[in-house]
Amino acid sequence: MARLLYDLAGANPDFRFSPYCWRARLALAHKGLEAETVPWRFTEKDKLAFSGQGRVPVLVDGDRVVSDSWQIAQYLETAYPDAPSLFGGQEAQAVARFVNSWADSVQLPGLTRLVLVDIPATLHEGDRSYFHSSREQRLGMPLAAACADRDTRVEDFRAGLIPLRLVLKAQPFLCGDAPAYADYIVFGGFQWARCVSDFPILAEDDVVAQWLERMLEAAGPQARRMPSLRA
Amino acid sequence: MARLLYDLAGANPDFRFSPYCWRARLALAHKGLEAETVPWRFTEKDKLAFSGQGRVPVLVDGDRVVSDSWQIAQYLETAYPDAPSLFGGQEAQAVARFVNSWADSVQLPGLTRLVLVDIPATLHEGDRSYFHSSREQRLGMPLAAACADRDTRVEDFRAGLIPLRLVLKAQPFLCGDAPAYADYIVFGGFQWARCVSDFPILAEDDVVAQWLERMLEAAGPQARRMPSLRA
């Protein structure tokens, strides 16, 4: 049975931009596991009914169905112990959860206020109305209002990256000399932002921008060309 | 030669409150290494001249002199490979640096604005004037002004602990089932705050407060009784 990864897609089915799906894609690649990615749109909840929930990524690996990027990483690490490790041991996996939590609670909400308004233009027309209403409900304001002050807000966002910056001044990757899952977690967010928007998230001379370049190099040409597939 | 840890002390020489020194103390204890702690005051720069810099912690281990809490943890891990690991491997050590950076750039600056004003009363009289002027210069305002709005500021501080909270909802310690260096990093900050001030940093029902209780239990009675030694 083929290995399948249900992956959020835009109007162009090859345009893949979900931060959580990028974590899963790079986790699979790190393990050297081939997977067919299945383009999925926000409103295709029925296509995910088999997974018991309505969000991507969903990994189908033989008869195993795993959803949620963190669960997928844990599953891959356990199911493929002989492939290169995503974490580097139990304790490393526990500490990587802090990076995951920081990305989910600081990085992604921060990026949302910088790029959200640019997303609808990239979506399949069937998804646009759902996206508008679900995000406006979540944020309690129109998308345009959420990003209205992004030219000034970006300064606070950049300042909030200091924990990341301090690490990347001392070592090339979050995981040390080579990237691994903690890097993929944080990469997912920045990849999402650069896929959906041309808004300049990082200053060019930021060590975080230099790390992102290294990550794009490691992730391969498909990751780098993604913004060109925007609708 | 005895193993020595130069450790910041208050008016009462047994009152030890530096967040960085607590990291080093718990790292030594984790490794099962005895060390004599040497009480040191801010103005005793001459006593640290041998270390080539003017801050604690400084570890003297035989003929090795190591300063800076992160360097001390790395040194102990390398020098005592057969003792229980502080990190759990090279990659875990790399990722723990992110926790260290978060603590230094988010947790400690946040705590500073909640407890700084209470510190001078705990200090040796010879240190008070130095502490006032150095901290006021660093912050650009009087200590009292830095903490003037702490009753409202604490809400933002608590909200900013969400990366920590998300981890501790999923596992008992940052390092998994048992505490290790990433826990000691973050413990250092909270221990500092509870040593120097009675200001309520955490809500009682916060999982972070429950973790802090577990950490105090693990750190032993000397850590818990420290506030009672305040001058």
Side-chain angles (χ1 to χ4, degrees):
Chain A
M1 196 187 291
R3 194 177 289 117
L4 302 177
L5 181 71
Y6 286 78
D7 188 13
L8 187 63
N12 178 343
D14 292 329
F15 179 66
R16 311 294 175 86
F17 58 98
S18 154
Y20 307 105
C21 292
W22 275 102
R23 293 180 192 175
R25 289 167 71 114
L26 295 192
L28 283 159
H30 185 99
K31 284 283 185 188
L33 299 170
E34 302 266 337
E36 183 187 332
T37 66
V38 183
W40 175 87
R41 271 72 177 241
F42 285 115
T43 45
E44 297 179 316
K45 301 292 185 196
D46 56 319
K47 281 197 188 172
L48 294 183
F50 71 93
S51 74
Q53 51 88 61
R55 302 172 75 181
V56 290
V58 174
L59 175 70
V60 181
D61 190 20
D63 57 2
R64 280 295 304 265
V65 175
V66 190
S67 56
D68 179 89
S69 58
W70 180 256
Q71 296 299 326
I72 289 171
Q74 288 188 297
Y75 163 74
L76 293 175
E77 189 73 348
T78 305
Y80 300 96
D82 297 331
S85 175
L86 287 167
F87 298 102
Q90 278 299 315
E91 192 174 303
Q93 184 167 328
V95 179
R97 200 194 279 270
F98 184 80
V99 179
N100 205 69
S101 299
W102 178 83
D104 288 354
S105 64
V106 177
Q107 181 202 25
L108 292 179
L111 287 170
T112 296
R113 301 298 293 266
L114 303 179
V115 304
L116 195 69
V117 71
D118 298 323
I119 294 181
T122 74
L123 299 179
H124 189 275
E125 60 180 348
D127 270 3
R128 284 182 196 157
S129 146
Y130 165 82
F131 186 83
H132 262 285
S133 61
S134 63
R135 269 46 180 183
E136 293 188 359
Q137 190 169 19
R138 194 183 293 174
L139 287 162
M141 67 183 91
L143 304 192
C147 296
D149 57 352
R150 65 180 173 179
D151 288 333
T152 51
R153 188 181 285 270
V154 70
E155 297 304 327
D156 283 343
F157 174 78
R158 290 175 182 176
L161 298 178
I162 186 165
L164 199 55
R165 197 169 290 124
L166 290 174
V167 173
L168 295 171
K169 279 182 179 169
Q171 58 196 42
F173 295 98
L174 285 174
C175 295
D177 293 331
Y181 196 67
D183 292 279
Y184 307 150
I185 292 167
V186 180
F187 173 79
F190 289 121
Q191 172 73 338
W192 172 57
R194 69 179 281 282
C195 284
V196 300
S197 175
D198 293 325
F199 185 78
I201 300 296
L202 299 169
E204 282 178 28
D205 61 354
D206 191 338
V207 291
V208 179
Q210 291 150 19
W211 162 85
L212 183 57
E213 269 304 304
R214 291 193 292 277
M215 288 301 296
L216 283 166
E217 201 60 31
Q222 203 183 14
R224 196 184 286 277
R225 71 190 269 266
M226 206 43 75
S228 70
L229 301 178
R230 226 183 267 163
Chain B
M1 193 187 291
R3 194 178 289 116
L4 302 178
L5 181 71
Y6 286 78
D7 188 11
L8 186 64
N12 179 342
D14 292 329
F15 179 66
R16 311 295 175 85
F17 58 97
S18 154
Y20 307 104
C21 291
W22 275 102
R23 294 179 192 176
R25 289 167 70 114
L26 294 193
L28 283 159
H30 185 99
K31 284 282 186 190
L33 299 170
E34 302 265 336
E36 183 187 332
T37 66
V38 182
W40 176 86
R41 271 74 178 239
F42 285 115
T43 44
E44 298 178 315
K45 301 292 184 196
D46 55 317
K47 282 198 189 173
L48 295 183
F50 70 93
S51 73
Q53 50 88 62
R55 302 172 75 181
V56 289
V58 174
L59 176 70
V60 181
D61 190 20
D63 58 1
R64 280 295 304 266
V65 176
V66 190
S67 55
D68 179 274
S69 58
W70 181 256
Q71 297 299 328
I72 289 171
Q74 289 189 296
Y75 163 74
L76 293 175
E77 189 73 347
T78 306
Y80 300 95
D82 297 331
S85 175
L86 287 167
F87 298 103
Q90 278 299 313
E91 192 173 301
Q93 185 167 329
V95 179
R97 200 196 278 271
F98 184 80
V99 179
N100 206 68
S101 299
W102 177 85
D104 288 353
S105 64
V106 177
Q107 182 203 24
L108 293 180
L111 287 171
T112 296
R113 301 297 293 267
L114 303 180
V115 304
L116 194 68
V117 71
D118 297 323
I119 294 181
T122 73
L123 299 180
H124 189 274
E125 60 181 348
D127 270 3
R128 284 183 196 156
S129 143
Y130 166 82
F131 187 82
H132 262 285
S133 61
S134 64
R135 269 45 180 184
E136 292 188 359
Q137 189 168 20
R138 192 183 293 174
L139 287 163
M141 66 183 92
L143 304 193
C147 296
D149 57 352
R150 65 179 174 178
D151 288 333
T152 52
R153 188 182 285 269
V154 69
E155 296 304 326
D156 283 344
F157 174 79
R158 291 175 181 178
L161 298 178
I162 185 165
L164 199 56
R165 198 169 290 126
L166 290 174
V167 173
L168 295 171
K169 279 182 179 170
Q171 60 197 40
F173 295 98
L174 285 174
C175 294
D177 293 331
Y181 196 67
D183 292 280
Y184 307 150
I185 293 167
V186 180
F187 173 79
F190 289 121
Q191 172 73 339
W192 172 57
R194 67 179 281 284
C195 284
V196 300
S197 175
D198 293 324
F199 184 79
I201 299 297
L202 299 169
E204 281 178 27
D205 61 353
D206 190 337
V207 292
V208 179
Q210 292 151 18
W211 163 85
L212 184 57
E213 269 303 305
R214 290 193 294 277
M215 288 301 297
L216 283 166
E217 200 60 30
Q222 203 182 18
R224 196 184 286 277
R225 69 189 269 266
M226 204 45 75
S228 71
L229 301 179
R230 225 183 269 161

